Amino acid sequence: MLSASVAGIMLASPMAPLHATDKPAAQASEPVAEKRVVTSHVLTMAKGVKLPYSATVGTLQLKDKQGKPGASLFYVAYTVAPKAAERRPVTFFYNGGPGSSSIWLHMASFAPVRVPVDVGKQGGAMPRLAPNPDSLLDSTDMVFLDAVGTGYSRALDPQDSKHYWGNDQDAAAFMQAIRRYVEINNRWLSPKYLFGESYGTTRSAMLSYKLIDSGMPVDGVILMSSILNFAQRAPGLDRMDINYLPSYAATAWYHGKVDRGTGLDAHVARARQFAQGAYAAALAKGQDIGAEERESVIAQMASLTGLSPDYLRQADLHVPPDRFRKELLRDRSAVTGGFDTRFIGSEGDNAADTAQSDPADDAISGAIIANFSAYLAHDLGYASDGDYVVNTPALFPVWDWSHMPPGGPRQNAMANVAIDLGAAMRRAPRMRVLSLSGYYDLSTPFFATEFDLAHLYLPTELRPNLVSRHYASGHMLYLDGKTFTDVTRDVRGFIEAKLD
């Protein structure tokens, strides 16, 4: 679960995995040879058009610095035979963590099949995997990739896993995997898109620059629930307090803890203005703030976030997300989700100061994991001797957080990869970026993303290439029907759009 400090952050999607490991995995080595299992299917799209497609499950060989096989990266690809002279786009998808497989995006969003989890349908029978008539397959081929140490992706020598577990190391592995997929499938002239969620957006920022630098054009980058600048989370800084506040306000509005009369967007707009203005100024003064100004800020903060003035006084204006999730609905003996604050649950100790669970995670993990396990074996015909690792929690503390951005200098911790994304956009002026954020996400708050995207240092003529969209949703924007429809429309439009 995300906390305000980097050491406590797990930027994967839900963390109740089928085959999570408690320590960095020491799995048996996969064969060096690349695998491939291909099956044929037909998807009936929303408008009734039948779309034949192939599903390919396989592995891509990664080589070490000496040119020897070093790892085997697992993927599932969905492709449609192109029409004459057609160059179909191909989009590469991955989740985050670091340490998460791509199971969440794969099973709950845009693939030809989908587990219909929904924030409005908690409880009851487990949802079953079904054809997805709103799939993006009519607009782009899709490749879902698992990072080394997740899914069925393995270092051939388990002791070498550490060579893939770090910001730059991971981005280099994905660059090699994508180039390998393009090579063996002759997709050099296809428009190429990167789609990352959570830490996957960190990966995409670095990866976009690396691919462009290697001579492979990237047509677009889609960022879902972004984290681009870990430096904002450094202990002692106030920036994350500022970043969280508009999400607190949205959550309070959703749960009826504030006046809802003006609507969500207007309430969030006031929270943005307060967070960047009076609240930021108050935090900057620290203990030197005057009593009158402090009381004024407390009153405004209470009216926006639904927290009591007494609680805000005791907290001295600083409310970490796990405390907010516990406090907001304490009078109802309930706790909100962190990945998606619309979800609510209960905990044994209602007097505790922080939330100890995430109802959003609890609501969806089992259905997605169980359906995926059956789908991979029975529908796609893929079998492996090892376990599919949904996520690897212990990978997080051994991750190499340093980063060498374009032009340096090396960032020894808490990387800011917005530098890479800005450099990629300047170097490839036709590359476009679509940012997707949810109001109810305390894992990667949207206001932090807005701050980072405002600091890409783009010249005026390139700024139209950056488009941001916000939704009344959480971290996983595909967990409710309306938002899923809106996001699918926006992503499809982005892929299909042509630059003048």
Side-chain angles (χ1 to χ4, degrees):
M1 185 59 225
L2 268 168
S3 69
S5 66
V6 171
I9 302 171
M10 182 64 175
L11 291 169
S13 287
M15 296 181 54
L18 177 65
H19 296 299
T21 57
D22 295 326
K23 57 185 178 180
Q27 299 94 346
S29 297
E30 292 283 323
V32 172
E34 294 178 329
K35 295 181 179 180
R36 178 182 287 198
V37 177
V38 182
T39 52
S40 297
H41 309 265
V42 177
L43 175 64
T44 302
M45 300 299 297
K47 294 182 179 180
V49 176
K50 293 187 180 300
L51 188 64
Y53 69 93
S54 296
T56 302
V57 188
T59 57
L60 300 165
Q61 186 184 98
L62 305 183
K63 295 184 178 180
D64 61 21
K65 292 180 179 180
Q66 288 72 44
K68 298 178 180 179
S72 178
L73 193 138
F74 179 77
Y75 72 96
V76 180
Y78 300 100
T79 57
V80 173
K83 301 175 184 177
E86 180 186 24
R87 290 189 297 175
R88 278 182 58 81
V90 56
T91 303
F92 298 92
F93 291 84
Y94 32 80
N95 280 93
S100 174
S101 68
S102 65
I103 189 174
W104 315 107
L105 276 171
H106 188 178
M107 286 289 95
S109 64
F110 311 111
V113 294
R114 180 173 182 259
V115 180
V117 290
D118 197 315
V119 65
K121 299 178 181 178
Q122 300 180 53
M126 184 180 73
R128 301 294 185 182
L129 188 72
N132 181 11
D134 297 312
S135 171
L136 292 175
L137 192 59
D138 59 339
S139 299
T140 179
D141 292 340
M142 292 178 280
V143 184
F144 294 87
L145 301 165
D146 288 337
V148 174
T150 75
Y152 288 126
S153 298
R154 304 286 188 267
L156 301 184
D157 181 346
Q159 300 305 314
D160 290 339
S161 295
K162 62 182 180 295
H163 297 311
Y164 300 94
W165 290 350
N167 290 334
D168 292 344
Q169 299 92 318
D170 173 87
F174 271 79
M175 179 186 72
Q176 189 179 157
I178 289 174
R179 288 184 63 91
R180 178 62 181 158
Y181 179 87
V182 167
E183 177 184 7
I184 64 178
N185 291 282
N186 192 24
R187 302 303 296 264
W188 291 105
L189 298 181
S190 296
K192 299 172 190 66
Y193 294 84
L194 306 177
F195 192 120
E197 177 185 328
S198 198
Y199 180 85
T201 65
T202 312
R203 179 182 293 132
S204 286
M206 295 181 285
L207 183 55
S208 61
Y209 185 86
K210 287 181 176 293
L211 285 171
I212 291 166
D213 191 52
S214 76
M216 179 175 287
V218 175
D219 292 79
V221 176
I222 304 164
L223 308 170
M224 178 180 283
S225 303
S226 296
I227 178 164
L228 301 177
N229 185 355
F230 287 84
Q232 294 193 58
R233 300 172 182 266
L237 298 184
D238 297 324
R239 186 66 224 180
M240 286 310 296
D241 292 288
I242 297 166
N243 290 338
Y244 283 124
L245 192 133
S247 295
Y248 292 168
T251 302
W253 183 93
Y254 179 84
H255 289 292
K257 302 296 287 187
V258 296
D259 181 9
R260 291 169 55 98
T262 58
L264 175 61
D265 289 340
H267 188 69
V268 169
R270 287 197 301 275
R272 279 191 182 99
Q273 184 177 16
F274 169 72
Q276 194 66 15
Y279 184 51
L283 293 178
K285 294 176 183 178
Q287 65 190 27
D288 295 332
I289 188 174
E292 183 177 347
E293 181 182 3
R294 186 171 184 267
E295 286 303 307
S296 174
V297 169
I298 286 173
Q300 294 177 74
M301 194 174 177
S303 70
L304 289 166
T305 66
L307 300 175
S308 72
D310 283 344
Y311 182 82
L312 293 171
R313 289 189 194 95
Q314 294 170 3
D316 198 22
L317 306 182
H318 297 274
V319 183
D322 284 351
R323 292 196 175 202
F324 173 81
R325 296 198 298 115
K326 188 70 171 182
E327 183 65 24
L328 182 69
L329 303 180
R330 192 184 295 274
D331 59 341
R332 306 178 195 174
S333 299
V335 60
T336 78
F339 287 111
D340 192 324
T341 58
R342 295 173 297 174
F343 288 82
I344 60 173
S346 60
E347 296 181 331
D349 184 1
N350 194 49
D353 60 344
T354 62
Q356 302 299 314
S357 61
D358 190 343
D361 176 2
D362 297 339
I364 68 170
S365 295
I368 289 177
I369 293 169
N371 278 284
F372 177 75
S373 299
Y375 171 66
L376 197 63
H378 298 126
D379 294 77
L380 301 187
Y382 189 85
S384 175
D385 294 336
D387 290 336
Y388 185 93
V389 179
V390 174
N391 65 52
T392 308
L395 183 153
F396 196 88
V398 301
W399 194 258
D400 178 3
W401 291 100
S402 67
H403 172 51
M404 177 65 79
R410 172 167 289 281
Q411 302 164 350
N412 290 324
M414 297 187 174
N416 176 11
V417 298
I419 295 172
D420 302 60
L421 184 61
M425 295 182 73
R426 292 190 298 272
R427 187 161 180 178
R430 293 183 63 82
M431 189 183 86
R432 297 171 295 129
V433 174
L434 174 63
S435 172
L436 313 170
S437 299
Y439 284 148
Y440 305 124
D441 177 11
L442 295 185
S443 187
T444 55
F446 69 88
F447 204 44
T449 299
E450 292 178 1
F451 180 90
D452 294 337
L453 295 180
H455 292 80
L456 297 182
Y457 304 106
L458 299 177
T460 303
E461 63 271 18
L462 291 185
R463 293 177 190 174
N465 289 359
L466 172 62
V467 178
S468 294
R469 295 284 184 265
H470 296 77
Y471 308 89
S473 188
H475 188 71
M476 302 169 77
L477 294 170
Y478 35 84
L479 291 191
D480 68 81
K482 182 183 186 308
T483 302
F484 175 65
T485 298
D486 293 343
V487 170
T488 302
R489 177 201 63 217
D490 293 342
V491 174
R492 178 178 282 110
F494 178 79
I495 293 174
E496 293 179 351
K498 305 295 182 183
L499 283 176
D500 295 332

